[in-house]
Amino acid sequence: MRRPHSSRLLAPAAALLLATACGAEHADTGRGAGADVPAPRATVTDPPVDGVRITSVTIPAASPSPTPSATLGRVHADPLTVPGDSGISAAYQVSNDGDEAMTYTVLFDFTTDTGAVMDNKEVTVAGVQPGRSTSGTVDLGVLVPGASPVTRVKVAKVTKVPADEAPAETGACPASGVRLWADDGDAAMGLRVVGLHLENCGKRDYSLDGYPRLSLLDDNREPVDGIRILHGGAAIASGTGFDEPPVPLVLKPGETALSGLIWRNTTLAGTAVNVPYVRVLAKPGAAPVTVTPGLDLGTTGKLGVGAWQRADR
């Protein structure tokens, strides 16, 4: 019961087209005497989405001398239909207007003219300092066989957490000596299960005994009230794998533990509740880590959490 990727979108996607009528745009073909003609690049001046904006999009043209045409406020170039790397990419800029360093995770959708998503790519931009901006490029890579032509790129979702609370599945071991992150989760018939993973990446043993401590946060990372956090998966549904009571664990360096978040997205009377951020303490006094599982809690008003259990990496 693999959880669909689209179910994790927390807000309506804001399309950033190759060019739009509301912003200045041009197609940069970069032609020069005796030089190869590069793929046309369309400059984008649309406003940012939560601090992230696409600055230009590059789509290879079907002919060696492409001439993108502007139609209805859009710059369009027919993409190549050749095997291998599509050559489609988007340049982006991430700007932090807050007062603390933030780590951004951005989901980019590569779409057709009608908005159908042909593929998406997720990019993490770590440690953007307050008042600063950083730039990068996201590549589509190989387009799946039979896919319709990609002509647009849009920012589908942006999440951002304090840099010192960002999850770390890989890379340098945090100062705490442990990594903690959430997986993509599974979903079936309204039941959601997201794994919380913890690895002792330090040089000392790490002890656990009980349940992770959770704080539920809204889009502004303010507390969400009115949700009961229940111990054990059985409080939500049976057979989730997180029903066992807590037992003391001692993780040697390199060993891992697993917990889980369990909920249903049932919606009856009342207002549905969505929780984009969960601040996790592995145990009392531990360094906090903020994960982004996108809890679509419906109107159930409850979330289950499993006890830490030993896991294989």
Side-chain angles (χ1 to χ4, degrees), residues 8-34:
R8 294 168 57 83
L9 303 186
L10 306 180
L16 295 179
L17 308 182
L18 303 192
T20 66
C22 64
E25 69 278 335
H26 68 274
D28 180 4
T29 59
R31 299 180 183 180

Side-chain angles (χ1 to χ4, degrees), residues 251-275:
L251 300 181
K252 301 291 185 182
E255 292 185 335
T256 59
L258 176 67
S259 176
L261 306 178
I262 307 97
W263 74 97
R264 290 192 181 277
N265 72 336
T266 306
T267 300
L268 298 173
T271 302
V273 175
N274 293 312
V275 177

Side-chain angles (χ1 to χ4, degrees), residues 196 211-216 229 260-261 278-281 303-305:
L196 292 178
Y211 299 86
R213 272 62 172 178
L214 309 179
S215 298
L216 307 186
I229 298 176
L261 306 178
V278 179
R279 197 167 187 251
V280 182
L281 301 182
L303 170 69
V305 58

Side-chain angles (χ1 to χ4, degrees), residues 79-166:
L80 289 169
T81 55
V82 296
D85 195 307
S86 66
I88 300 171
S89 65
Y92 62 85
Q93 183 180 71
V94 179
S95 300
N96 181 2
D97 60 359
D99 56 6
E100 63 179 321
M102 303 295 288
T103 290
Y104 293 72
T105 299
V106 187
L107 183 69
F108 295 93
D109 280 351
F110 293 78
T111 79
T112 66
D113 273 336
T114 61
V117 178
M118 294 296 102
D119 204 349
N120 50 44
K121 301 294 179 182
E122 188 173 83
V123 175
T124 297
V125 183
V128 182
Q129 297 299 311
R132 303 294 296 272
S133 297
T134 187
S135 300
T137 301
V138 57
D139 298 310
L140 173 58
V142 178
L143 193 60
V144 297
S148 299
V150 169
T151 57
R152 310 184 193 182
V153 185
K154 65 183 181 182
V155 176
K157 183 180 73 169
V158 178
T159 56
K160 55 185 180 181
V161 301
D164 58 1
E165 295 185 12

Side-chain angles (χ1 to χ4, degrees), residues 180-307:
L180 194 155
W181 70 95
D183 60 33
D184 288 339
D186 291 315
M189 299 181 66
L191 178 65
R192 311 285 199 248
V193 180
V194 167
L196 292 178
H197 302 260
L198 183 147
E199 178 193 5
N200 180 0
C201 57
K203 298 180 179 179
R204 300 179 179 179
D205 291 352
Y206 191 83
S207 61
L208 293 167
D209 185 6
Y211 299 86
R213 272 62 172 178
L214 309 179
S215 298
L216 307 186
L217 308 176
D218 63 15
D219 287 314
N220 297 316
R221 293 182 304 283
E222 296 294 334
V224 175
D225 298 323
I227 305 299
R228 291 180 296 155
I229 298 176
L230 308 175
H231 286 170
I236 305 298
S238 60
T240 64
F242 296 104
D243 301 338
E244 297 298 321
V247 296
L249 300 177
V250 177
L251 300 181
K252 301 291 185 182
E255 292 185 335
T256 59
L258 176 67
S259 176
L261 306 178
I262 307 97
W263 74 97
R264 290 192 181 277
N265 72 336
T266 306
T267 300
L268 298 173
T271 302
V273 175
N274 293 312
V275 177
Y277 299 98
V278 179
R279 197 167 187 251
V280 182
L281 301 182
K283 62 182 180 180
V289 175
T290 299
V291 297
T292 56
L295 308 180
D296 53 342
L297 298 175
T299 56
T300 62
K302 56 186 180 181
L303 170 69
V305 58

